[in-house]
Amino acid sequence: MSAPVIPCGTLYLVSTPIGNLEDMTFRAVNVLRSCDVIFAEDTRRTKILLARYEISRRLESYHSFNEHGRTPELLARVKAGEKIALVTDAGTPCVADPGFLLVREAVKAGIEPQIIPGVSSLTFAVAASALPSDKFAFYGFLPVKSGRRSARIAEIAAENKSVVIFESPYRLSKLLGELCEVLGPEAHVAVIREATKIHEEVLRGSLGEVTRKTANRSWKGECVVVVSPQTVISDTESGD
């Protein structure tokens, strides 16, 4: 059972743009301007965002390699009355990014995190895919090791809903080939690359078609794959 909420400072988890800096919300800008300190996954990238909106606040690092060590300190500072924000490189903390540990420990300590929502590559991909969106599963980044990776792809094949996968551009061709082999060439897929950026691109089609057309391609940028294990998609599956 969670500890009772106690008076203290404030912990904010702030969503940031996934590419186009103009996607920053008014609320997010105001919150960051009001904070005593901003913890960032990459302070160098966050400096660019803060400069764009003329936000002058102290920056400290918080990422997957130091989160266990910094979380108690950060929560202690919130309890002492500081207003603290956590931002990641892009999108919303906790979604394939650091943040879960901090939120879990904050709730245990009686601190209610304030979530400042914004643009998300997950929802962008679901909308852009043209695949059924009434229900979907998010698998994040698949394991790299072959055994665990194969098991996860088998889980995806058994889904009765669209599946969203994050993937490195260096492994994207491999992923498409793996999905094609297990789900079959007729399964539907969409590859969303560089969402909201200058070179934004969406490729849609059957797994066989997309895999074949991009076999020799050198992928670049942030990539999201949406796949539907179902080979037949009706108009009624849109959820509207």
Side-chain angles (χ1 to χ4, degrees):
M1 187 173 181
S2 300
V5 176
I6 56 178
C8 58
T10 309
L11 172 63
Y12 296 99
L13 272 70
V14 182
S15 297
T16 55
I18 60 176
N20 190 325
L21 295 185
E22 293 184 3
D23 287 334
M24 193 71 168
T25 69
F26 290 116
R27 185 183 178 200
V29 170
N30 289 332
V31 165
L32 293 180
R33 283 176 176 163
S34 73
C35 285
D36 298 300
V37 59
I38 299 169
F39 282 82
E41 184 180 11
D42 185 335
T43 56
R44 294 166 301 179
R45 294 185 63 169
T46 301
K47 280 180 181 178
I48 297 171
L49 176 66
L50 299 187
R52 169 67 174 77
Y53 288 96
E54 300 181 342
I55 300 171
S56 179
R57 287 293 179 269
R58 187 169 77 256
L59 276 174
E60 298 188 30
S61 66
Y62 184 94
H63 45 70
S64 58
F65 299 105
N66 71 2
E67 60 182 344
H68 287 275
R70 298 222 69 173
T71 292
E73 170 206 345
L74 197 154
L75 296 180
R77 291 168 66 170
V78 173
K79 284 188 173 183
E82 289 191 50
K83 296 176 70 175
I84 289 176
L86 172 66
V87 300
T88 50
D89 289 351
T92 302
C94 300
V95 183
D97 273 333
F100 161 69
L101 175 66
L102 180 61
V103 170
R104 185 187 70 186
E105 296 306 307
V107 172
K108 286 182 180 178
I111 298 170
E112 184 62 40
Q114 301 299 304
I115 312 302
I116 312 303
V119 66
S120 165
S121 58
L122 171 60
T123 52
F124 184 105
V126 169
S129 70
L131 295 176
S133 57
D134 57 322
K135 55 182 179 177
F136 60 88
F138 175 55
Y139 275 67
F141 288 96
L142 301 188
V144 176
K145 292 186 177 180
S146 58
R148 294 178 59 203
R149 189 176 180 89
S150 296
R152 195 62 54 81
I153 290 174
E155 290 179 27
I156 292 171
E159 292 280 7
N160 65 343
K161 60 182 77 70
S162 298
V163 173
V164 183
I165 306 165
F166 287 173
E167 188 54 282
S168 159
Y170 306 108
R171 290 192 295 269
L172 185 55
S173 293
K174 176 185 176 182
L175 173 64
L176 292 174
E178 292 168 326
L179 293 173
C180 189
E181 182 178 347
V182 178
L183 277 65
E186 299 305 315
H188 300 273
V189 70
V191 178
I192 295 87
R193 189 181 70 86
E194 293 287 83
T196 79
K197 300 178 183 177
I198 294 174
H199 301 294
E200 177 181 305
E201 179 182 22
V202 181
L203 302 176
R204 306 180 185 91
S206 69
L207 262 172
E209 177 187 15
V210 173
T211 301
R212 183 175 63 256
K213 287 183 176 180
T214 62
N216 299 316
R217 179 167 180 171
S218 178
W219 295 94
K220 294 181 181 180
E222 301 293 328
C223 301
V224 183
V225 174
V226 186
V227 63
S228 176
Q230 303 175 55
T231 56
V232 178
I233 298 177
S234 68
D235 293 338
T236 60
E237 290 178 304
S238 65
D240 295 330

